Amino acid sequence: MLSHYLCEYAWLPDGIHADVLIAIENGKIVRAEPAGWVDDHIAKLSGLTVPGFANAHSHAFHRALRGRTHMGRGSFWTWREQMYQVADRLDPDSYHRLARAVYAEMALAGVTCVGEFHYLHHAPGGKPYANPNAMGEALVAAAAEAGIRITLLDTVYLQASVDGQPLAGPQLRFGDGSLDGWWNRFDQLSAQPHSMIGAALHSVRAVPTDVMTDFAELTGGLPTHAHVAEQVDEVAACRAAYGCTPTELLDRHGVLQETFTSVHATHLTKGDIDLMADTYACFCPTTERDLGDGIGPARTLADGAVRLTLGSDSHAVIDLLEEARAVELHERLSAQARGHFTQAELLTAATATGHASLGWPSAGRLAVGARADLVTVSLGTVRTAGIDPAGVLMAAGAADITHVVVDGRVVVADGRHVSIDVARELQEAVCALF
Ligand SMILES: [Zn+2]
C-alpha cells in the first residue's frame, strides 16, 4: 500500500529542504524529494522530519533506577550495587512489562531501533528458565508491542573480575558457565521481521581471555558489542592482569572487526584509537556524566575513521537529541573551544551509523530504498519556536517529537503512542519492583 507525507521541512541526505514529499510502500521509502504540486489530501507533517533514531546501547531494566540513584556521592561501582538489586527482582513477565513501557518511551523519543545489550539471562541463583531464552524473548516481544525494531545483543558474562573471580549473588543470573554454554543458548535464538540477533562480550572484566578468540570466530559478521574503557579502574585492572589496554586485549583476540562496537570508549590511548579504525564507538553521554565516567575523545575517534553511534544506556535520560548535542557540548568542555562536529555528523551518528552498527544498514536516511523511519520534530513548541530548523539538534528534546513512523507504520501521532499509555505503564512496571 502506498502512503504519502508532505513534510514542512525534511532532512534529506544533502541537507534540509522545505515542502518535501515522502512516499512509502511496503515499509520502504519510494520517493523523497522537494514537492512541486501536491494535492490537499496528503497527510502533512508540520515541523522538521528527520530519519528514525537508533538507540545503539540500552539496558532496558536500568530505567527502573531513574530518579532513584543520582543523588548523593558514590561511583559507578556503588551505582552498580543498586542496579544489581533491581536485576535480582525481574522475571520474564515483569521484565516484559517494564521493557514494553521503556521501548514505548523510546518510540516517543523518536527511537525506531534499539540495541539491547542483554545479560540478565537466568533465574535468581543462575538456574536457567524452562525456556533458557525466556528473558531475551520477553525483550523482543516488548519491542514488537512498542512498535520498534530491536537488535538483541545477547551477552557473554562468565566471571566477576579480570583476575577470574567467579560470579556471585545477582551476577549468577548473567552467566552461562562457559562459552559453549552461552553458544548453546544463543544458537536457539532466532530473528523475527522486527528483530535481529547480535552478540556482546560484556567487558574485559567479565570474559576470560582464553575464550575471546573463539567468541570472535563464532560471532564473525554479526553486530558485536562490548563495554570498553568506561572506567579508569577497569583500564588499570586490565593493564595489571594482561599488560595492555582493554582495546589492545580485544584486538589481540580478533574481536575488533568491522561489525564491532566499543561502548563508551572513554579512556583510550592513541594506540587504542589507531586499532579502532573502521569499527564503531557508541557514546552514551548522559549516562557517562551521570556515572562520573569521564569524557571520551569523540572528535579524535571520528578523525581516526571510527564510526560514532549513540545510546541512552542506563536511561537516566531517553532523548537521542540530547545525546547528540552532548557529544558536541562535552567536547567543548574538554577542549575549551566550540564547534567540533557539524550538525550533519551528529545526526548521522544518531541515525544511519547507529542503525548500521545494529545490523540495519538500510535504515537511517530519508532516501529512496531506505526503511521508512520518520521522526517529526515540532518547530512550534516553547523550546523550538523561532529556531532555524538547521539548529534543531541544539534546541529540541524528546518532548518536541510529535510523529514517529517505523517501517512505514505510524507508532506515535500528535505526541502520543498509538497503542500504549506510556507514563501509566512505566509507573506500574517500575513501582512493582520497589
Ligand atoms: Zn552498558
Side-chain angles (χ1 to χ4, degrees), residues 57-59 62 117 119 202 227 230 263-264 284 287 313-314:
H57 189 65
S58 162
H59 308 284
H62 292 190
F117 196 109
Y119 54 83
H202 181 273
H227 295 117
E230 178 177 9
V263 179
H264 301 302
C284 308
T287 293
D313 188 7
S314 68

Side-chain angles (χ1 to χ4, degrees), residues 384-403:
T384 58
I387 70 168
D388 178 342
V392 73
L393 292 180
M394 304 310 277
D400 302 312
I401 289 168
T402 53
H403 209 82

Side-chain angles (χ1 to χ4, degrees), residues 22-24 27-32 365-372 374:
I22 295 180
I24 297 171
K28 295 276 173 59
I29 295 173
V30 295
R31 188 176 167 192
R365 289 169 297 120
L366 299 181
V368 172
R371 286 178 172 271
L374 276 53

Side-chain angles (χ1 to χ4, degrees), residues 13-251:
D14 65 347
I16 294 175
H17 295 264
D19 299 326
V20 171
L21 184 69
I22 295 180
I24 297 171
E25 189 167 28
N26 299 325
K28 295 276 173 59
I29 295 173
V30 295
R31 188 176 167 192
E33 60 192 7
W37 174 89
V38 289
D39 87 41
D40 285 343
H41 301 296
I42 291 180
K44 300 200 173 46
L45 294 176
S46 108
L48 172 66
T49 297
V50 300
F53 299 135
N55 190 353
H57 189 65
S58 162
H59 308 284
F61 74 91
H62 292 190
R63 171 62 179 81
L65 301 167
R66 186 188 296 174
R68 296 171 181 271
T69 58
H70 317 290
M71 295 70 82
R73 296 183 66 83
S75 66
F76 169 87
W77 308 102
T78 54
W79 169 84
R80 194 177 73 158
E81 289 307 312
Q82 297 171 301
M83 182 266 282
Y84 282 175
Q85 290 171 15
V86 170
D88 218 27
R89 294 175 198 148
L90 288 160
D91 62 27
D93 288 339
S94 59
Y95 204 8
H96 172 260
R97 278 193 295 278
L98 176 61
R100 167 185 149 102
V102 174
Y103 294 155
E105 181 185 353
M106 288 186 197
L108 288 172
V111 172
T112 57
C113 184
V114 60
E116 179 65 34
F117 196 109
H118 168 57
Y119 54 83
L120 188 56
H121 301 305
H122 303 300
K127 186 166 180 284
Y129 289 106
N131 169 4
N133 285 310
M135 294 292 264
E137 289 175 9
L139 294 166
V140 172
E145 290 164 35
I148 67 174
R149 294 189 301 278
I150 183 170
T151 296
L152 186 72
L153 298 158
D154 192 283
T155 303
V156 184
Y157 199 126
L158 299 175
Q159 63 184 20
S161 57
V162 287
D163 57 0
Q165 291 296 311
L167 299 178
Q171 293 176 330
L172 292 168
R173 303 191 67 176
F174 312 159
D176 291 294
S178 64
L179 188 69
D180 282 348
W182 171 77
W183 176 256
N184 289 337
R185 185 179 54 71
F186 179 86
D187 202 32
Q188 296 171 45
L189 289 163
S190 55
Q192 297 177 23
H194 79 294
S195 72
M196 182 168 297
I197 308 302
L201 181 155
H202 181 273
S203 59
V204 299
R205 293 192 301 278
V207 178
T209 53
D210 60 4
V211 302
M212 284 186 188
T213 303
D214 287 345
F215 171 83
E217 286 175 4
L218 286 168
T219 58
L222 293 177
T224 306
H225 292 217
H227 295 117
V228 179
E230 178 177 9
Q231 287 283 319
V232 172
D233 286 357
E234 165 199 343
V235 177
C238 185
R239 283 190 183 279
Y242 305 119
C244 65
T245 67
T247 297
E248 288 167 342
L249 189 68
L250 294 171
D251 179 63

